[in-house]
Amino acid sequence: MLIESMTSLGVPELVAQLIYAGLVAFMCINFVAVYAGLISVVERRVAAKMQSRVGPNRVGPNGWLQWLADGVKLILKEDLIPAGADRLLFKAAPMIMAVGVAASFAVLPWGPAHAIAADLNVGILYLISISALVVIGILMAGWASNNKWSLLGGMRAAAQIVTYEVPVAMGLLPAIMIAGSLAVSDLVNAQGWAPWDWVAFDNPFAMLGFLLFLTGSVAESNRTPFDLTEAESELVAGYSTEYSGFRFAMFTLGEFANTWVVGAISAAIFLGGGLVPPILANVPGAAVGVFILKTLFMVFVLMWFRWTLPRFRIDQMMDFSWKYMLPLALLAFFGQSIYFLATWDSLVAQSVVSHLMVLIFLGVFFVFINRVLINYRHQATVVNSYKTETDYLVKTGKIVLAAPKEAAADSSEQEEG
Amino acid sequence: MNMTPKGSPVKVYFNNVLNGISSMFEGMSITLASMFTRAQTVQYPEVDPRSVASQRQNYKGNFRGMPENYRGLLDVEMDICTACLICMRACPIDCIVITNVKCDKRVFNGRSGKKAVQTRAATRFDIDLGKCMFCGLCTLPCPTGAIFHTNEFAWNKEDLDSLVKRFVDPETGAAAQKRAEEIAQEEIAAKAAKAAAKEAEPSSGDSSSEES
Amino acid sequence: MGKSLKTEIMTINMGPQHPSTHGVIRFIIKTDGEIIHECIPDVGYLHRSIEKIAEAVSWQGFVPYTDRVDYLAAMNANWAYCTAVEKMIGAEVPRRAEFIRVIVGELNRISSHLIAIGATAMDLGAFTPFIQLLREREYINDLLEMACGARLTYNYISIGGVNWDVPPNWTEKIGEFLDHFELAMEQMNRLISYNRIFINRMANLATVSAETAIDYCFVGPNLRASGVKYDLRKDIPYSVYPELDFEIPVGEGREGAVGDCYDRYYVRAMEIRESIKILRQALKMMPEGEFQGKVKNNIKPEAGVAYVRHETPRGDTGYLIQADQKTSPYRLKIRTGSFTAMAAIPELAQGVFIADLVAIIGSLDVVAPELDR
């Protein structure tokens, strides 16, 4: 649209396209920076809530400007390049990683299915390929740091990311088969607004594909349980040990921004991202809101994984991918094909299966909520109750409890004195 | 109850997958449950651990405040100190320095009501709180309870010398020193008088009243 | 492709400053990238000459120093030293003091094991269990603060008894805490101990057979995990332990071989349960009475030697005291379990991944202050 308006003003087509691309890139980079900052605060607060503590709450209102403080601090730090390091590669590595992540923003939808910056007809393929640039960045960082620990981290990361490309791509296959196209907008439009019209609940093999895609993406973005490349306990910070200041910030920004990419693609392709029920069809911003909610929920699930599970060892991680995820991915692919053959003509069968999937999911969800309630009751048993503080004072006659409400206040005053 | 699956490889494979998913499920339910429990962090300085009132206002966790017998910074009540040097000898790191001189005898009740007799006064009572390890070994043998732990825990100074608490200021010290010299003179005079009285008359009734 | 790839063995320093070694310990690791070929521990970075300092302070004055020999199990270290001195001078400890000692010793055992379990989990990447176990440990710190006024370096157990009496509502508070803690500990087990990823990391790793364990003089949970049922509280009982009823958990190869890392970890988790049992009994049986026996202020024992062994959370801690009719010991030697556990690491770390080395150190529960004294 923008390009047509520019060409109609007489700007040559190539230049108009370049200007458009530049604008998109500018907005993507800004979004990456701001989002990564905000999500770092959210992650720390979510982690703190899961650990019975508070997290950053001093900078800004309730801690929400902590990312600005961190960013300013990192920018003001000394730019150290270790002696003996390969200067060109050392400087280029964080940029390549950030580019690999930011370039995948070009094919993400932003709400409605057509709101994509570059709606390539091979959108998904482009996404998987461009996010492999990250490997090159990590390898460069590990090698150029002239540090044995970084080298170990870089090599581990390269092995891990290359290995997990396979389940990620194959997990997307059921969705691609259902939509019949590689373009992201087609993949979104092949679904409906209701959960039983989403790809994830279409049939068990699509659900399997979704889970494989999710697990593979967690491994691709180097998050626990797959964060052995930057395992603090073992390698200090893995491939980014020698980085300080803004270069380090680029690595971290790239990682956090990757969570949005994972969330957005999961929401768009598997969870019917952006499609709203007809009631809300004319409400402005409903599609964007729904999409953002689904994406942020998936980002929360990623954080939830990180703070619950211990990390894999390098050989166990490789085993997991080749021996467990690859057979399951093949099963999902073949299963989806057979399912198509079986139910291609009968829409009733398809709809029955998808409604059944939603019911099964709800059942699992209720069982889960039950466990959550039981565990909550275990954690919330009383400790250090006021009763143990006041009982013996009453027994020894030091205080007299007037009425239950004032009793605690009385005893506290008496205890003070 | 062993949970590592055993049996034929296919069975092991599937049991591994199921076991992995179920243990992950349980773990995630526990962390989700923790999200709804209260944070236990005591946000000092908005919440003061020493005051129950400030805790009731701003704090919703399970911490019930510092107990009364918290071993904080040391303090000495010089009125009931008998300068017996027991705390100085008990300290394993020698951070208490006391010098004492003779003084007038005084009988009083210590902190716990026990009777105490003071025959010496301190001219210098310094505690180097920079060295102190707050072990309480000085408070245990004190006969009157003069040296005790407060519940103060924050005490920042700008140089090491200010970390020394001096409980006897120079004037009091000088006065005690003077009084001690006077007492010494009186004793010498009393001894001389007694010796003279012994020489003059070998009677025993003339005991000097100043001799204590 | 006839030529084989030339590889080198690189020497890496898992240096004194490292996020995962428990304290300042240095390892010189010769590795080819992932597998360790040789691992040489280098200890002594936290040596503070505590045994030499003992020759300059008085007998009671040394008790705070024993706190700092192993600050995670300070009460037990206090207790071992005081028992040694009492044995030398023949002091009697009142019954109430004995029970108080057992209660604080077992509380400290629980809190020390919580750190051991939590630190192992954190080294393996699970951050939440560590923080939640620290939360439980804070309640124990509160209880011990009520008894003696300090949260880590207690200086509570002294020659002849304990220094201060416990507050009157202490037993109810401990009972309430134990009711909460049993459920919370079971929940922590479900979060981390039974987690498939955790089990896969720790099972069948660094298996120590019973003979090897005895050869290396392993003590405490490390020894019991290898299948040797030996606990000083049952075999050479001291204090009032003969009157208390508890089991000794022994490693049974729960998820792998007998004596692997998971067994060492799990034995500690089981010991926490046994400590809870002991605490409940001791709380019921604690009598009223004196809390400190009659001991002179300046002790000058006869010339002689006393050696006392206590079951601290890290194993068999022994205090050898040689007296010479002075107010300070002539020689004091502390034998700790971490030191001998450390000696086994070169053999255990052969052929494992670097990530596994972290798990091995965590499962052996090596703490640097006890290692170097």
Side-chain angles (χ1 to χ4, degrees):
Chain A
M1 195 173 59
L2 190 59
I3 299 184
E4 280 116 34
S5 56
M6 280 197 282
T7 47
S8 64
L9 286 177
V11 181
E13 171 120 12
L14 186 59
V15 176
Q17 284 181 340
L18 280 175
I19 294 178
Y20 178 70
L23 275 175
V24 165
F26 181 71
M27 287 187 351
C28 283
I29 291 284
N30 277 321
F31 180 77
V32 162
V34 174
Y35 168 78
L38 281 174
I39 221 66
S40 71
V41 184
V42 168
E43 166 128 46
R44 288 164 75 174
R45 295 300 294 264
V46 162
K49 266 210 97 54
M50 284 182 179
Q51 296 165 354
S52 306
R53 54 187 181 90
V54 177
N57 69 341
R58 298 280 170 178
V59 186
N62 229 4
W64 286 103
L65 294 182
Q66 178 75 34
W67 59 284
L68 278 181
D70 287 338
V72 167
K73 177 204 80 166
L74 284 170
I75 294 179
L76 291 177
K77 276 200 171 181
E78 184 185 354
D79 180 23
L80 281 170
I81 302 187
D86 190 328
R87 294 186 80 90
L88 180 63
L89 293 181
F90 190 83
K91 291 180 193 174
M95 293 189 223
I96 291 191
M97 182 185 181
V99 160
V101 172
S104 48
F105 275 71
V107 290
L108 293 183
W110 293 96
H114 57 267
I116 303 182
D119 195 6
L120 305 172
N121 54 354
V122 287
I124 279 297
L125 194 59
Y126 165 83
L127 184 82
I128 301 174
S129 332
I130 204 75
S131 49
L133 259 187
V134 169
V135 181
I136 302 185
I138 294 180
L139 264 177
M140 280 165 72
W143 171 257
S145 296
N146 194 27
N147 180 343
K148 289 168 188 162
W149 292 109
S150 305
L151 187 60
L152 277 182
M155 296 198 298
R156 279 183 185 178
Q160 173 181 326
I161 297 188
V162 164
T163 313
Y164 278 90
E165 293 283 355
V166 178
V168 165
M170 294 194 72
L172 284 169
L173 276 177
I176 296 174
M177 288 202 284
I178 291 177
S181 146
L182 284 172
V184 177
S185 53
D186 290 341
L187 286 165
V188 176
N189 281 328
Q191 308 174 74
W193 63 269
W196 46 86
D197 288 329
W198 293 347
V199 165
F201 297 122
D202 191 77
N203 61 68
F205 303 104
M207 172 59 95
L208 184 60
F210 173 46
L211 293 173
L212 287 171
F213 170 76
L214 190 61
T215 316
S217 300
V218 170
E220 292 280 303
S221 45
N222 283 339
R223 288 180 72 89
T224 323
F226 300 101
D227 67 343
L228 46 132
T229 60
E230 45 184 56
E232 289 151 9
S233 348
E234 296 154 48
L235 300 175
V236 185
Y239 56 87
S240 55
T241 312
E242 295 287 345
Y243 283 86
S244 63
F246 194 60
R247 301 188 203 281
F248 181 73
M250 300 274 278
F251 278 122
T252 317
L253 252 57
E255 264 188 51
F256 280 125
N258 214 352
T259 60
W260 174 271
V261 174
V262 171
I265 291 296
S266 311
I269 297 185
F270 290 101
L271 300 179
L275 296 173
V276 292
I279 320 172
L280 296 173
N282 292 325
V283 175
V288 181
V290 164
F291 180 75
I292 290 188
L293 270 175
K294 289 180 187 169
T295 307
L296 288 178
F297 173 71
M298 292 309 303
V299 172
F300 170 71
V301 168
L302 287 182
M303 290 183 195
W304 198 356
F305 280 153
R306 178 177 186 182
W307 299 109
T308 309
L309 300 169
R311 69 173 70 96
F312 282 101
R313 209 174 53 204
I314 179 83
D315 60 326
Q316 291 169 350
M317 193 199 58
M318 295 300 210
D319 273 358
F320 187 62
S321 169
W322 293 118
K323 291 191 197 164
Y324 289 89
M325 293 187 72
L326 183 58
L328 287 176
L330 288 173
L331 174 69
F333 175 57
F334 284 120
Q336 174 74 53
S337 323
I338 295 174
Y339 177 79
F340 266 163
L341 287 175
T343 63
W344 187 260
D345 301 313
S346 136
L347 279 173
V348 172
Q350 287 181 8
S351 145
V352 161
V353 170
S354 61
H355 280 83
L356 256 179
M357 288 289 298
V358 175
L359 277 174
I360 294 176
F361 173 75
L362 280 176
V364 167
F365 182 70
F366 277 122
V367 168
F368 184 75
I369 294 291
N370 199 26
R371 285 306 305 173
V372 170
L373 284 173
I374 294 176
N375 283 322
Y376 176 75
R377 242 176 274 134
H378 284 313
Q379 280 203 19
T381 8
V382 162
V383 161
N384 262 345
S385 65
Y386 272 113
K387 195 163 167 299
T388 50
E389 304 278 331
T390 60
D391 256 3
Y392 83 103
L393 289 171
V394 171
K395 246 188 277 178
T396 53
K398 290 216 182 105
I399 61 169
V400 171
L401 293 185
K405 236 195 214 168
E406 291 126 301
D410 278 343
S411 73
S412 72
E413 286 165 35
Q414 291 279 6
E415 268 183 81
E416 288 259 43
Chain B
M1 185 197 61
N2 186 321
M3 286 177 317
T4 306
K6 291 195 167 51
S8 70
V10 177
K11 198 157 162 235
V12 169
Y13 186 89
F14 278 112
N15 279 338
N16 260 338
V17 172
L18 284 173
N19 190 257
I21 294 182
S22 70
S23 61
M24 195 186 78
F25 198 73
E26 178 67 30
M28 286 175 64
S29 74
I30 295 179
T31 31
L32 192 62
S34 319
M35 275 197 82
F36 300 110
T37 51
R38 297 212 166 110
Q40 302 292 331
T41 317
V42 175
Q43 302 237 44
Y44 184 80
E46 284 94 25
V47 179
D48 192 354
R50 285 170 288 187
S51 114
V52 180
S54 108
Q55 281 164 50
R56 316 210 67 187
Q57 250 181 330
N58 304 335
Y59 173 72
K60 296 212 171 28
N62 284 334
F63 179 61
R64 289 294 166 250
M66 280 161 60
E68 292 116 28
N69 56 344
Y70 180 74
R71 301 208 296 251
L73 297 174
L74 286 168
D75 199 5
V76 179
E77 221 175 312
M78 289 308 296
D79 298 333
I80 52 178
C81 171
T82 58
C84 56
L85 303 189
I86 278 186
C87 57
M88 185 166 98
R89 286 186 233 118
C91 177
I93 32 187
D94 302 328
C95 65
I96 305 182
V97 179
I98 312 176
T99 52
N100 59 2
V101 292
K102 260 196 174 320
C103 80
D104 303 317
K105 181 166 166 187
R106 190 163 73 104
V107 178
F108 57 89
N109 277 342
R111 196 186 283 273
S112 52
K114 225 173 77 170
K115 192 178 89 142
V117 176
Q118 176 178 14
T119 50
R120 303 193 71 96
T123 49
R124 180 181 172 206
F125 198 135
D126 297 340
I127 305 183
D128 188 352
L129 282 170
K131 286 192 202 152
C132 175
M133 60 171 163
F134 307 103
C135 60
L137 283 176
C138 54
T139 59
L140 286 165
C142 179
T144 56
I147 188 168
F148 60 97
H149 284 282
T150 58
N151 69 353
E152 223 185 304
F153 50 83
W155 203 57
N156 311 39
K157 300 288 172 187
E158 272 160 23
D159 52 87
L160 278 178
D161 295 326
S162 342
L163 285 178
V164 179
K165 265 195 191 176
R166 298 178 206 279
F167 291 100
V168 176
D169 48 7
E171 301 95 50
T172 325
Q177 182 76 33
K178 220 171 87 169
R179 180 76 197 123
E181 281 161 13
E182 285 172 15
I183 293 178
Q185 299 287 353
E186 285 164 9
E187 277 185 3
I188 295 176
K191 263 209 194 114
K194 185 166 183 208
K198 249 194 184 155
E199 275 183 28
E201 284 176 44
S203 69
S204 59
D206 219 352
S207 58
S208 165
S209 58
E210 273 131 335
E211 206 175 340
S212 333
Chain C
M1 297 272 280
K3 264 201 279 191
S4 61
L5 204 57
K6 174 170 177 288
T7 54
E8 255 181 30
I9 306 238
M10 45 180 189
T11 307
I12 300 188
N13 207 8
M14 201 153 156
Q17 299 124 320
H18 195 94
S20 88
T21 56
H22 298 192
V24 274
I25 320 172
R26 175 174 170 230
F27 292 98
I28 304 167
I29 305 175
K30 293 201 165 65
T31 169
D32 69 354
E34 277 296 332
I35 308 270
I36 297 181
H37 287 240
E38 199 183 336
C39 172
I40 308 166
D42 183 16
V43 304
Y45 284 91
L46 202 46
H47 180 69
R48 295 156 292 169
S49 318
I50 289 187
E51 295 177 1
K52 185 70 186 171
I53 289 178
E55 300 170 14
V57 297
S58 63
W59 296 92
Q60 298 94 328
F62 187 65
V63 179
Y65 287 95
T66 58
D67 273 336
R68 287 141 172 96
V69 166
D70 178 8
Y71 46 72
L72 295 174
M75 287 287 191
N76 290 287
N78 277 355
W79 195 357
Y81 169 71
C82 292
T83 314
V85 180
E86 283 155 16
K87 184 168 161 191
M88 182 171 306
I89 63 178
E92 277 224 14
V93 181
R95 195 164 155 79
R96 181 176 168 87
E98 290 282 19
F99 272 99
I100 295 180
R101 286 178 169 188
V102 166
I103 293 175
V104 294
E106 292 301 319
L107 277 176
N108 215 298
R109 187 184 309 271
I110 294 180
S111 75
S112 171
H113 281 326
L114 288 180
I115 295 260
I117 295 177
T120 308
M122 189 172 74
D123 287 342
L124 260 47
F127 305 101
T128 311
F130 182 57
I131 311 263
Q132 304 227 344
L133 289 172
L134 277 185
R135 182 192 70 199
E136 302 301 322
R137 188 171 171 263
E138 281 297 302
Y139 300 139
I140 299 182
N141 278 353
D142 285 344
L143 290 168
L144 292 172
E145 193 187 11
M146 287 170 67
C148 66
R151 296 171 77 86
L152 192 70
T153 50
Y154 306 113
N155 187 26
Y156 184 52
I157 299 183
S158 72
I159 303 166
V162 293
N163 271 335
W164 298 277
D165 201 2
V166 295
N169 58 348
W170 203 57
T171 42
E172 279 108 53
K173 281 187 108 70
I174 300 186
E176 199 182 42
F177 164 71
L178 289 177
D179 291 332
H180 160 91
F181 181 63
E182 268 189 288
L183 295 169
M185 190 61 208
E186 208 28 52
Q187 195 180 66
M188 278 307 116
N189 272 340
R190 289 200 303 272
L191 175 60
I192 188 70
S193 311
Y194 306 148
N195 188 307
R196 173 57 34 196
I197 302 177
F198 186 75
I199 295 176
N200 281 347
R201 282 295 293 268
M202 302 270 278
N204 288 324
L205 179 67
T207 312
V208 178
S209 65
E211 293 87 33
T212 320
I214 297 179
D215 278 345
Y216 271 108
C217 295
F218 273 10
V219 286
N222 296 335
L223 179 66
R224 293 195 273 283
S226 298
V228 181
K229 193 164 177 143
Y230 186 73
D231 186 329
L232 286 174
R233 294 174 290 173
K234 284 265 196 222
D235 294 306
I236 311 179
Y238 50 92
S239 185
V240 290
Y241 278 113
E243 306 176 28
L244 299 168
D245 170 40
F246 57 101
E247 304 284 322
I248 309 289
V250 171
E252 294 154 4
R254 210 189 118 96
E255 298 289 345
V258 175
D260 58 6
C261 284
Y262 189 76
D263 265 351
R264 287 192 279 274
Y265 167 92
Y266 198 66
V267 158
R268 294 200 167 86
M270 289 293 106
E271 277 191 8
I272 294 181
R273 258 192 225 163
E274 298 302 321
S275 289
I276 297 178
K277 249 199 267 176
I278 297 178
L279 276 170
R280 286 204 205 272
Q281 293 169 47
L283 285 174
K284 267 194 248 162
M285 292 163 66
M286 186 162 84
E288 299 293 328
E290 293 283 314
F291 58 90
Q292 171 103 40
K294 295 277 176 278
V295 174
K296 277 196 301 190
N297 231 350
N298 63 333
I299 304 175
K300 278 210 175 97
E302 308 284 318
V305 170
Y307 183 60
V308 158
R309 301 161 66 183
H310 266 220
E311 182 76 21
T312 57
R314 261 156 215 96
D316 169 351
T317 301
Y319 274 77
L320 172 91
I321 309 183
Q322 189 174 356
D324 206 11
Q325 286 188 325
K326 296 230 170 43
T327 53
S328 327
Y330 177 74
R331 167 83 174 110
L332 181 138
K333 160 104 184 110
I334 309 173
R335 180 248 188 264
T336 53
S338 304
F339 194 67
T340 47
M342 197 66 168
I345 288 191
E347 176 181 326
L348 292 178
Q350 287 261 359
V352 297
F353 289 96
I354 297 184
D356 289 333
L357 177 65
V358 174
I360 296 175
I361 301 173
S363 77
L364 285 173
D365 197 12
V366 171
V367 284
E370 199 186 51
L371 182 63
D372 296 335
R373 275 155 275 136

